[in-house]
Amino acid sequence: MWLLLSLNLAGKAAALLLGWSAPAVALALWFGPDLLLAYHVFAPGAQGLVRMHRRFATPRREVWLTLDDGPDPEDTPQILALLAAHDARATFFLIGEKAAAHPGLVRAIIAAGQEVAHHTQTHPAANFWCASPGRVARELDAALAALRGAGVTPTRFRPPVGIKNLWLAAALRARGLTAVAWSARGLEHWSGGAEAVATRALRGLTPGAILLLHEGPRVPTAIRVHAIRRVLERLREQNYRCVVPGPEQLVN
Ligand SMILES: [Zn+2]
């Protein structure tokens, strides 16, 4: 983070020094570091501000299925049944305020042997990039309290739509949270039905992949739960198991 900020300030200072003598160069020096910083804030796989794991190490045909934006009273029970039927494990990245509204669903996820993880308190996708240190702390601590109230202390975190900010890395470290991105996602709002979503989630499938799918009302009705079912079926056809990797496997 400090390298990115120093580059940014140095660029601004150099641009001011050059001033009118070389306007094109000054413009590039002024805005170039901004673009670099923006890339590390907004690109889900960028590592400059927060270490985001995108794969895990495994010698076996294993993937990590991660499900965001729950819990949801309609979807979560169906997904738990699907996972049980496929002998699959998954991690549910839960939104704190939804977890607080449905603590029974959080307990059901834990009772089913699945992992509960942290996906902020309110899912502030539009403005998380510019959240103040206080706002970041509130998003983290409120969701931690909601999840602890339901009986679990999460160790994994995913920011809303993968967007980071300047304060996130230190805030996660202080709370013992590891950030997890993904290697492939279903992109449920793109074109096509459940089959197309499954195809996107399984594109370039190799051992150690981290797959991202969603639950809840923001997913188009025709795709809800069905896309997850198709992913599980297609993984089984290809002899892949869904596992939750240990912290020592998160090296990528
Ligand atoms: Zn989300």
Side-chain angles (χ1 to χ4, degrees):
M1 175 180 102
W2 295 115
L3 176 66
L4 282 167
L5 285 181
S6 306
L7 262 177
N8 203 290
L9 287 176
K12 300 278 186 289
L16 287 174
L17 282 175
L18 277 172
W20 295 108
S21 61
V25 178
L27 265 179
L29 285 170
W30 187 274
F31 290 111
D34 289 340
L35 293 176
L36 188 65
L37 189 58
Y39 168 75
H40 285 282
V41 169
F42 292 105
Q47 307 287 314
L49 290 174
V50 180
R51 178 84 195 277
M52 298 269 286
H53 295 285
R54 290 167 294 178
R55 304 191 63 82
F56 66 99
T58 176
R60 291 173 287 277
R61 286 172 80 83
E62 295 175 339
V63 298
W64 185 6
L65 179 60
T66 64
L67 305 168
D68 283 13
D69 296 357
D72 181 80
E74 276 186 46
D75 293 9
T76 306
Q78 296 181 61
I79 294 167
L80 289 176
L82 273 177
L83 293 171
H86 284 265
D87 193 21
R89 290 198 72 211
T91 296
F92 290 75
F93 284 86
L94 301 184
I95 297 172
E97 59 187 11
K98 289 189 179 182
H102 305 288
L105 289 176
V106 184
R107 285 193 288 271
I109 294 170
I110 302 161
Q114 309 299 349
E115 184 183 36
V116 165
H118 190 309
H119 195 38
T120 70
Q121 174 70 1
T122 66
H123 205 269
N127 52 18
F128 196 59
W129 68 275
C130 61
S132 66
R135 175 79 194 274
V136 171
R138 285 194 297 279
E139 284 290 338
L140 295 182
D141 290 337
L144 276 173
L147 297 176
R148 283 184 183 135
V152 62
T153 298
T155 59
R156 274 83 184 259
F157 170 84
R158 177 173 286 152
V161 293
I163 292 174
K164 299 160 286 291
N165 61 54
L166 292 175
W167 324 113
L168 187 57
L172 293 178
R173 229 179 357 258
R175 291 161 180 81
L177 289 165
T178 302
V180 177
W182 55 85
S183 58
R185 54 178 161 170
L187 295 164
E188 287 91 340
H189 286 95
W190 284 25
S191 62
E195 201 62 46
V197 173
T199 298
R200 286 193 284 270
L202 298 172
R203 181 173 294 155
L205 183 67
T206 50
I210 303 177
L211 313 182
L212 165 58
L213 290 156
H214 292 82
E215 59 173 317
R218 273 187 278 185
V219 177
T221 312
I223 291 169
R224 278 175 83 168
V225 184
H226 300 302
I228 295 170
R229 176 185 295 113
R230 284 304 293 140
V231 165
L232 287 167
E233 289 169 355
R234 288 171 62 170
L235 285 169
R236 185 157 65 185
E237 286 163 17
Q238 297 183 52
N239 289 320
Y240 270 92
R241 286 186 61 228
C242 291
V243 301
V244 172
E248 73 287 351
Q249 290 176 276
L250 297 184
V251 291
N252 298 301

PDB file of all heavy atoms in Angstrom, residues 68-69 95 119 123 159-161 214 218, ligand 1:
ATOM      1  N   ASP A  68     -21.609 -16.725  -2.182  1.00  0.00           N
ATOM      2  CA  ASP A  68     -21.669 -15.389  -1.578  1.00  0.00           C
ATOM      3  C   ASP A  68     -23.110 -14.906  -1.381  1.00  0.00           C
ATOM      4  O   ASP A  68     -24.030 -15.338  -2.064  1.00  0.00           O
ATOM      5  CB  ASP A  68     -20.957 -14.376  -2.488  1.00  0.00           C
ATOM      6  CG  ASP A  68     -19.436 -14.482  -2.385  1.00  0.00           C
ATOM      7  OD1 ASP A  68     -18.951 -15.466  -1.814  1.00  0.00           O
ATOM      8  OD2 ASP A  68     -18.762 -13.576  -2.890  1.00  0.00           O
ATOM      9  N   ASP A  69     -23.241 -13.942  -0.468  1.00  0.00           N
ATOM     10  CA  ASP A  69     -24.432 -13.090  -0.308  1.00  0.00           C
ATOM     11  C   ASP A  69     -25.578 -13.709   0.483  1.00  0.00           C
ATOM     12  O   ASP A  69     -26.666 -13.141   0.543  1.00  0.00           O
ATOM     13  CB  ASP A  69     -24.963 -12.571  -1.656  1.00  0.00           C
ATOM     14  CG  ASP A  69     -23.976 -11.656  -2.357  1.00  0.00           C
ATOM     15  OD1 ASP A  69     -22.913 -11.377  -1.769  1.00  0.00           O
ATOM     16  OD2 ASP A  69     -24.260 -11.228  -3.483  1.00  0.00           O
ATOM     17  N   ILE A  95     -23.433 -12.252   4.517  1.00  0.00           N
ATOM     18  CA  ILE A  95     -23.586 -10.834   4.817  1.00  0.00           C
ATOM     19  C   ILE A  95     -24.101 -10.717   6.257  1.00  0.00           C
ATOM     20  O   ILE A  95     -25.095 -11.353   6.627  1.00  0.00           O
ATOM     21  CB  ILE A  95     -24.559 -10.183   3.822  1.00  0.00           C
ATOM     22  CG1 ILE A  95     -23.980 -10.262   2.398  1.00  0.00           C
ATOM     23  CG2 ILE A  95     -24.847  -8.729   4.202  1.00  0.00           C
ATOM     24  CD1 ILE A  95     -24.940  -9.822   1.306  1.00  0.00           C
ATOM     25  N   HIS A 119     -18.541 -11.639   4.778  1.00  0.00           N
ATOM     26  CA  HIS A 119     -18.711 -10.905   3.507  1.00  0.00           C
ATOM     27  C   HIS A 119     -19.239  -9.498   3.787  1.00  0.00           C
ATOM     28  O   HIS A 119     -20.091  -8.999   3.057  1.00  0.00           O
ATOM     29  CB  HIS A 119     -19.655 -11.707   2.611  1.00  0.00           C
ATOM     30  CG  HIS A 119     -19.653 -11.299   1.158  1.00  0.00           C
ATOM     31  ND1 HIS A 119     -18.517 -10.928   0.480  1.00  0.00           N
ATOM     32  CD2 HIS A 119     -20.664 -11.204   0.254  1.00  0.00           C
ATOM     33  CE1 HIS A 119     -18.834 -10.633  -0.776  1.00  0.00           C
ATOM     34  NE2 HIS A 119     -20.130 -10.777  -0.938  1.00  0.00           N
ATOM     35  N   HIS A 123     -22.670  -5.267   2.732  1.00  0.00           N
ATOM     36  CA  HIS A 123     -22.324  -5.449   1.317  1.00  0.00           C
ATOM     37  C   HIS A 123     -22.297  -4.103   0.575  1.00  0.00           C
ATOM     38  O   HIS A 123     -23.022  -3.917  -0.422  1.00  0.00           O
ATOM     39  CB  HIS A 123     -23.326  -6.402   0.657  1.00  0.00           C
ATOM     40  CG  HIS A 123     -22.755  -7.097  -0.554  1.00  0.00           C
ATOM     41  ND1 HIS A 123     -22.869  -6.579  -1.829  1.00  0.00           N
ATOM     42  CD2 HIS A 123     -22.089  -8.261  -0.685  1.00  0.00           C
ATOM     43  CE1 HIS A 123     -22.288  -7.396  -2.689  1.00  0.00           C
ATOM     44  NE2 HIS A 123     -21.805  -8.427  -2.022  1.00  0.00           N
ATOM     45  N   PRO A 159     -14.268  -9.256   0.238  1.00  0.00           N
ATOM     46  CA  PRO A 159     -14.892  -7.927   0.115  1.00  0.00           C
ATOM     47  C   PRO A 159     -15.998  -7.963  -0.937  1.00  0.00           C
ATOM     48  O   PRO A 159     -15.983  -8.826  -1.818  1.00  0.00           O
ATOM     49  CB  PRO A 159     -13.732  -7.034  -0.323  1.00  0.00           C
ATOM     50  CG  PRO A 159     -12.738  -7.948  -0.945  1.00  0.00           C
ATOM     51  CD  PRO A 159     -12.908  -9.293  -0.309  1.00  0.00           C
ATOM     52  N   PRO A 160     -16.958  -7.020  -0.851  1.00  0.00           N
ATOM     53  CA  PRO A 160     -18.054  -7.001  -1.819  1.00  0.00           C
ATOM     54  C   PRO A 160     -17.515  -6.834  -3.237  1.00  0.00           C
ATOM     55  O   PRO A 160     -16.726  -5.922  -3.483  1.00  0.00           O
ATOM     56  CB  PRO A 160     -18.913  -5.802  -1.397  1.00  0.00           C
ATOM     57  CG  PRO A 160     -18.079  -5.007  -0.456  1.00  0.00           C
ATOM     58  CD  PRO A 160     -17.081  -5.934   0.142  1.00  0.00           C
ATOM     59  N   VAL A 161     -17.926  -7.701  -4.124  1.00  0.00           N
ATOM     60  CA  VAL A 161     -17.465  -7.803  -5.523  1.00  0.00           C
ATOM     61  C   VAL A 161     -15.939  -7.658  -5.672  1.00  0.00           C
ATOM     62  O   VAL A 161     -15.445  -7.209  -6.694  1.00  0.00           O
ATOM     63  CB  VAL A 161     -18.219  -6.838  -6.487  1.00  0.00           C
ATOM     64  CG1 VAL A 161     -19.670  -7.239  -6.610  1.00  0.00           C
ATOM     65  CG2 VAL A 161     -18.140  -5.380  -6.052  1.00  0.00           C
ATOM     66  N   HIS A 214     -23.440 -17.376  -6.365  1.00  0.00           N
ATOM     67  CA  HIS A 214     -24.220 -16.573  -5.421  1.00  0.00           C
ATOM     68  C   HIS A 214     -25.530 -17.256  -5.062  1.00  0.00           C
ATOM     69  O   HIS A 214     -26.059 -18.053  -5.824  1.00  0.00           O
ATOM     70  CB  HIS A 214     -24.532 -15.196  -6.016  1.00  0.00           C
ATOM     71  CG  HIS A 214     -23.328 -14.325  -6.180  1.00  0.00           C
ATOM     72  ND1 HIS A 214     -22.481 -14.432  -7.258  1.00  0.00           N
ATOM     73  CD2 HIS A 214     -22.811 -13.353  -5.394  1.00  0.00           C
ATOM     74  CE1 HIS A 214     -21.493 -13.546  -7.125  1.00  0.00           C
ATOM     75  NE2 HIS A 214     -21.672 -12.878  -5.994  1.00  0.00           N
ATOM     76  N   ARG A 218     -30.929 -11.629  -5.373  1.00  0.00           N
ATOM     77  CA  ARG A 218     -30.283 -10.852  -6.430  1.00  0.00           C
ATOM     78  C   ARG A 218     -29.911 -11.720  -7.629  1.00  0.00           C
ATOM     79  O   ARG A 218     -29.594 -11.217  -8.706  1.00  0.00           O
ATOM     80  CB  ARG A 218     -29.051 -10.137  -5.879  1.00  0.00           C
ATOM     81  CG  ARG A 218     -29.422  -8.783  -5.266  1.00  0.00           C
ATOM     82  CD  ARG A 218     -28.207  -7.976  -4.867  1.00  0.00           C
ATOM     83  NE  ARG A 218     -27.690  -8.396  -3.573  1.00  0.00           N
ATOM     84  CZ  ARG A 218     -26.690  -7.800  -2.949  1.00  0.00           C
ATOM     85  NH1 ARG A 218     -26.088  -6.780  -3.500  1.00  0.00           N
ATOM     86  NH2 ARG A 218     -26.280  -8.238  -1.771  1.00  0.00           N
TER      87      ARG A 218
HETATM   88 ZN    ZN B   1     -21.262 -10.336  -2.597  1.00  0.00          ZN
END
